[in-house]
Amino acid sequence: MRSGKAAALMVATSFASWPVLAQQVDPGGAGEQRNIAELDAIVVTAQKRSERLQDVPIAIETLGEAALATGPVTDITAIQMVSPAVSGSGNSSAQPLIAVRGIVSNDFSIGGDPALGIYVDDVYTGRSAGAVQELVDIDRVEIVKGPQGTLFGRNTTAGAISIYTNKPDLGALAGSAAASFGDFQAVLASAILNMPLTDQTAVRASMVYNRHDGFFENASGGRRLDKVDHLAGRVALRLQSGSLDVILTGEYERDRDDGLVAKSIAYNVPGDQDSAVAKPPVSINAPIRNHRDLYGGNLRIEAPLGLLDFTSISAVRGYRVRYLEDTDATPLTQVHFGSREWQDAQSQEFRLASPYQAFRWTAGASLYHERIAADSRTIYDEDGVCTGLARSPTPTDCDSLLRALPSPDPSDASLFDTLLKSGVVTDPYKGETGQVEANRARGEYLSLGVYGDFTLELSPTFSLTGGLRYSRDRKSVNVIALPTSNLVTIVNGENLYLRSGQQRSSKTWDQWQPRVLLAWKPLESLSAYASYTRGYKSGGFNVLQPGDPPFGPERVSQIEAGLKGSLFERRVRYDLAAFQWRYNDLQVQVFEGGLPIVRNAGRARGRGLESSIILAPDRRLNLTLAAAFLDATYTRFRLGETVDYTGNRLPLAPKASGRIGLTGYDLLGVEGLSLQADYVRRSRQYFSPDNGVLSQPAYGLLSARIAYTIPRSGLELAMSGENLTDAHYATTGQVIDAVNVAVLRLGEPRRIVFGARLQW
């Protein structure tokens, strides 16, 4: 569990109507700044040039600076609490699961890639383990839904989330400081300073400290689990001379968290009266940790090149992770997983853009190089495995299980007698403890992309956009895993969780990714569009199972039609999008026996409808209504001769999601007194392709925040509550059917937080 999930509700709490507040840069200013007309000034760069949000003919949501700065600092997993189209879990910064329109990647090994592209200042973050970070001093976050292969490049079959940090400002010495305290010993403190150095240079620095104690009681004893401890900072230096703009940025984050905390629904946890419900207590009998060090640096150069705009983005990013989890979440040791992982990546992008005119275009090239390594291991006790094989809700030793199983030899009374004659077991047999299976994997990946995108104004009301990208990915891996010898592996004929063997392989994949878009704007207050896009994610290797064939790339095609507009002098703003996507060779991680393996699922289809309405009857009141409806199913997904998931719903794809947000200012006639309330609800969602026991029934989360900004002081005092109804819910789950492991990862309980923020 990380701070992202810990602060997700606080973002929704603090800014229930966050699109309206995206341009509110002076929280202590006059109320008229909060009028919905300010929406027209929101600028995004989802199409690689600055455009008003209302004019961009794609499905996009924006989380502005005020929504991020005034509430407690959070990370990208908070987006699921304010966008019905986004679902998933932020239980761990090393293993985040974020689905957009039902599309997600559940493979966290270094052999695959995420389906969702996450970018920081236009720099691709690569691995999921390096993508989630504290959001401090952020200008905006843009969420573009659906495949975005043309302009965003690598692995954006689900969509793209772009994080833009605040640039150093040459005009003023300014800053802010904030602190909050709450339940579970929560402490969140941040500071930002902007300082001009000369009339052409400025520096901007920010830092944040975020911690809380564990949320969940551990029935196996010891401290409460789900601790978070983060320290992060960023420094940026800017040189601006005429049309030349150069920004050099460096950032670092240190996380010392607990690993994933889950609850078993296959084993009777002591003190748990209803094992099927996602609520404490949990039972973890081993150390768990998620220790991560993340670094990044980038150099951005913007300059004119004749009539063209030239942009160069050079970047390095990387991380070091030490991770341990109690996978089975029982007092037994059925399977515990740990890894040490590191990544070093370099990227370069060059971009040219024409002036904004009747015919405009953007072209570019990008290069991404990555070296990555992971040393993984699983630990188990034989008696714990035998409990799972017996599908027992209470401990069962291997001696009892072997005596109860029939023997392949008719002359023996049981399997125990056969193994006893061959000398494999003793009488009685005591299962071995602390058995280890290990895997050492190394990878080097190189990705090249070349793209072009144009827009032609066909008439004063119609425009046509076309784009094409060529992507080429080459991956090389080197894997070594040694066999383990014990009773379980002898009976199984192979390692139980991490297959033994060696593999040295290389493979190249490439793909053309087009997009075509027709936009119509008959009125200043009304626009419509229709588009076709195609996305691609490269293939990869099952590095935890050396010798298994590589899995192929996945491809998705999407058609979409949308409508955006405003009514009644912009007091009502609405948008509507209908879409359908089709997947070929969707990459899905499944367990074959106890082995996690990625397979191409064949085909999947999704279709849906998304809508939002923002009402502003006066400057003191905003109401947001948002909803998403999704039908996402496998249309062909078979594993061997016996397993058929065809017709099942995709994981993390609820049929319906909705949000109601109410924001009021200057309440009771008191200047500076504000209230926000937010309610988010999702229908049932499944956590595994089999649509079995791992699911979460429909649930809702209610949050609220009251704040007082002392007029003309820049000081705000606030109190907020998260999950006010104390709902019990799960965010994700995992099942390893062969050893009867089935766990749910729990959402956060109710929390109350008090805070203060000062701007100058």
Side-chain angles (χ1 to χ4, degrees):
M1 183 84 77
R2 335 174 312 289
S3 66
K5 191 168 72 68
L9 287 175
M10 301 206 53
V11 172
T13 298
S14 303
F15 299 94
S17 191
W18 57 266
V20 177
L21 298 177
Q23 291 297 303
Q24 182 192 331
V25 296
D26 181 10
E32 50 265 29
Q33 289 185 339
R34 300 171 176 130
N35 193 280
I36 197 168
E38 291 298 313
L39 283 167
D40 290 339
I42 299 176
V43 175
V44 297
T45 56
Q47 298 194 117
K48 303 306 180 187
R49 62 171 73 239
S50 297
E51 300 171 288
R52 293 192 315 163
L53 176 64
Q54 191 75 353
D55 295 334
V56 179
I58 56 178
I60 180 174
E61 297 181 63
T62 302
L63 181 61
E65 178 180 12
L68 292 164
T70 308
V73 179
T74 182
D75 61 40
I76 59 170
T77 60
I79 294 169
Q80 63 180 309
M81 302 310 300
V82 291
S83 174
V86 181
S87 59
S89 166
N91 293 81
S92 162
S93 59
Q95 296 186 350
L97 275 174
I98 305 174
V100 179
R101 291 180 172 175
I103 301 174
V104 65
S105 175
N106 65 344
D107 174 27
F108 298 108
S109 75
I110 68 170
D113 294 306
L116 178 66
I118 298 175
Y119 300 79
V120 178
D121 291 331
D122 289 333
V123 175
Y124 179 63
T125 60
R127 317 253 121 229
S128 298
V132 177
Q133 61 190 79
E134 292 282 341
L135 294 185
V136 57
D137 196 21
I138 303 299
D139 175 63
R140 69 190 185 280
V141 176
E142 298 177 9
I143 308 104
V144 186
K145 294 170 281 189
Q148 305 295 325
T150 304
L151 292 173
F152 284 91
R154 296 198 76 229
N155 302 327
T156 52
T157 51
I161 296 179
S162 297
I163 302 165
Y164 294 96
T165 63
N166 279 314
K167 301 177 181 178
D169 184 355
L170 277 63
L173 176 66
S176 67
S180 64
F181 307 88
D183 292 334
F184 303 99
Q185 305 298 312
V187 176
L188 178 63
S190 64
I192 301 168
L193 178 65
N194 184 92
M195 184 170 61
L197 301 178
T198 69
D199 58 353
Q200 293 184 329
T201 60
V203 65
R204 190 177 185 97
S206 58
M207 68 178 300
V208 59
Y209 176 64
N210 186 7
R211 73 161 305 277
H212 63 69
D213 288 344
F215 295 134
F216 303 117
E217 174 191 351
N218 186 10
S220 292
R223 62 176 177 83
R224 299 174 68 91
L225 300 174
D226 218 6
K227 179 196 71 165
V228 157
D229 191 333
H230 292 183
L231 179 65
R234 181 189 309 111
V235 177
L237 177 65
R238 185 177 193 179
L239 167 64
Q240 195 171 40
S241 178
S243 299
L244 175 66
D245 195 0
V246 181
I247 301 177
L248 177 64
T249 304
E251 57 188 347
Y252 172 76
E253 180 168 334
R254 175 187 181 274
D255 301 344
R256 296 296 181 264
D257 305 343
D258 285 341
L260 287 177
V261 177
K263 171 184 172 177
S264 174
I265 60 174
Y267 185 89
N268 293 335
V269 175
D272 189 358
Q273 304 303 314
D274 191 350
S275 62
V277 177
K279 67 177 182 180
V282 298
S283 186
I284 305 296
N285 71 325
I288 56 174
R289 73 171 63 101
N290 177 36
H291 292 184
R292 187 183 66 152
D293 293 272
L294 172 70
Y295 73 89
N298 69 78
L299 175 65
R300 185 185 185 97
I301 302 173
E302 296 181 354
L305 193 61
L307 297 177
L308 305 178
D309 293 327
F310 170 75
T311 303
S312 170
I313 306 170
S314 309
V316 295
R317 289 185 66 86
Y319 61 81
R320 304 291 186 268
V321 170
R322 291 180 296 160
Y323 182 81
L324 286 175
E325 71 176 29
D326 184 339
T327 309
D328 57 79
T330 73
L332 310 175
T333 306
Q334 294 175 294
V335 52
H336 296 170
F337 177 79
S339 69
R340 289 177 176 264
E341 183 174 315
W342 60 260
Q343 179 221 40
D344 292 311
Q346 307 83 38
S347 63
Q348 175 65 55
E349 180 172 3
F350 296 111
R351 187 188 308 155
L352 286 174
S354 70
Y356 196 94
Q357 52 192 16
F359 178 76
R360 52 193 179 271
W361 55 267
T362 302
S366 62
L367 183 70
Y368 180 82
H369 176 259
E370 174 185 29
R371 292 174 61 88
I372 189 164
D375 295 328
S376 305
R377 68 182 187 276
T378 59
I379 302 172
Y380 59 88
D381 294 344
E382 287 185 335
D383 284 345
V385 171
C386 287
T387 299
L389 294 174
R391 312 194 76 79
S392 172
T394 57
T396 297
D397 57 51
C398 290
D399 187 278
S400 300
L401 177 63
L402 293 174
R403 295 178 189 272
L405 292 175
S407 173
D409 187 344
S411 63
D412 294 327
S414 68
L415 179 59
F416 181 89
D417 296 315
T418 303
L419 295 175
L420 182 64
K421 286 194 305 184
S422 61
V424 174
V425 300
T426 57
D427 188 6
Y429 180 72
K430 181 174 178 58
E432 298 289 343
T433 61
Q435 303 301 288
V436 178
E437 297 176 3
N439 175 287
R440 179 183 183 273
R442 302 290 184 267
E444 183 170 5
Y445 307 149
L446 181 66
S447 178
L448 171 67
V450 181
Y451 63 90
D453 195 80
F454 74 88
T455 298
L456 174 63
E457 301 288 351
L458 301 175
S459 73
T461 58
F462 282 96
S463 65
L464 175 68
T465 297
L468 186 66
R469 184 185 191 98
Y470 174 73
S471 297
R472 180 181 176 88
D473 293 274
R474 180 170 179 79
K475 293 185 175 182
S476 300
V477 297
N478 185 6
V479 185
I480 300 175
L482 300 178
T484 300
S485 179
N486 55 52
L487 173 65
V488 170
T489 60
I490 291 173
V491 174
N492 190 52
E494 175 56 273
N495 285 6
L496 185 60
Y497 298 110
L498 302 178
R499 180 183 294 152
S500 62
Q502 299 186 32
Q503 182 177 14
R504 184 185 294 270
S505 300
S506 295
K507 194 170 179 61
T508 300
W509 297 272
D510 63 352
Q511 184 74 31
W512 291 94
Q513 302 161 81
R515 82 161 177 156
V516 180
L517 186 149
L518 182 65
W520 178 47
K521 193 173 179 63
L523 302 171
E524 181 64 25
S525 60
L526 177 65
S527 62
Y529 66 90
S531 66
Y532 169 83
T533 56
R534 196 162 73 194
Y536 147 87
K537 185 169 74 143
S538 70
F541 297 90
N542 284 300
V543 295
L544 296 180
Q545 316 304 338
D548 198 76
F551 49 88
E554 62 180 28
R555 304 173 183 87
V556 59
S557 299
Q558 177 179 273
I559 56 173
E560 178 175 304
L563 188 69
K564 299 183 179 183
S566 60
L567 299 168
F568 309 117
E569 297 180 341
R570 305 184 186 93
R571 293 183 182 275
V572 176
R573 182 178 184 271
Y574 61 89
D575 64 75
L576 179 69
F579 62 88
Q580 177 171 293
W581 52 254
R582 291 187 179 275
Y583 249 105
N584 285 321
D585 298 322
L586 178 65
Q587 298 169 7
V588 180
Q589 185 188 77
V590 295
F591 281 85
E592 297 182 1
L595 306 174
I597 296 178
V598 175
R599 297 297 188 203
N600 291 106
R603 296 178 181 174
R605 183 210 63 203
R607 53 192 176 190
L609 185 68
E610 298 165 356
S611 178
S612 68
I613 301 175
I614 303 173
L615 309 174
D618 60 52
R619 70 176 181 85
R620 294 175 299 176
L621 183 66
N622 289 320
L623 175 66
T624 298
L625 305 173
F629 302 94
L630 176 65
D631 176 21
T633 59
Y634 298 110
T635 55
R636 189 181 69 193
F637 188 4
R638 295 181 178 177
L639 298 173
E641 299 296 327
T642 59
V643 178
D644 189 353
Y645 296 148
T646 301
N648 286 3
R649 291 187 59 82
L650 269 65
L652 297 176
K655 286 187 176 181
S657 302
R659 173 175 162 262
I660 301 175
L662 179 65
T663 305
Y665 303 101
D666 299 341
L667 299 176
L668 305 175
V670 179
E671 181 183 355
L673 183 63
S674 63
L675 172 69
Q676 292 90 35
D678 198 62
Y679 181 71
V680 180
R681 187 169 181 84
R682 286 187 172 85
S683 64
R684 178 181 291 275
Q685 54 186 315
Y686 294 99
F687 299 142
S688 60
D690 63 2
N691 290 185
V693 296
L694 295 184
S695 69
Q696 170 59 50
Y699 71 100
L701 298 172
L702 175 65
S703 304
R705 181 180 190 265
I706 187 168
Y708 177 63
T709 300
I710 301 175
R712 291 163 291 280
S713 71
L715 177 63
E716 180 193 65
L717 306 175
M719 179 179 71
S720 62
E722 313 161 18
N723 189 8
L724 289 174
T725 62
D726 202 23
H728 298 296
Y729 65 101
T731 58
T732 58
Q734 185 177 34
V735 60
I736 309 176
D737 188 65
V739 288
N740 197 33
V741 168
V743 300
L744 294 173
R745 289 156 188 162
L746 308 184
E748 292 182 0
R750 177 170 48 220
R751 297 178 65 198
I752 304 297
V753 175
F754 299 87
R757 180 171 180 262
L758 177 66
Q759 282 188 288
W760 64 88

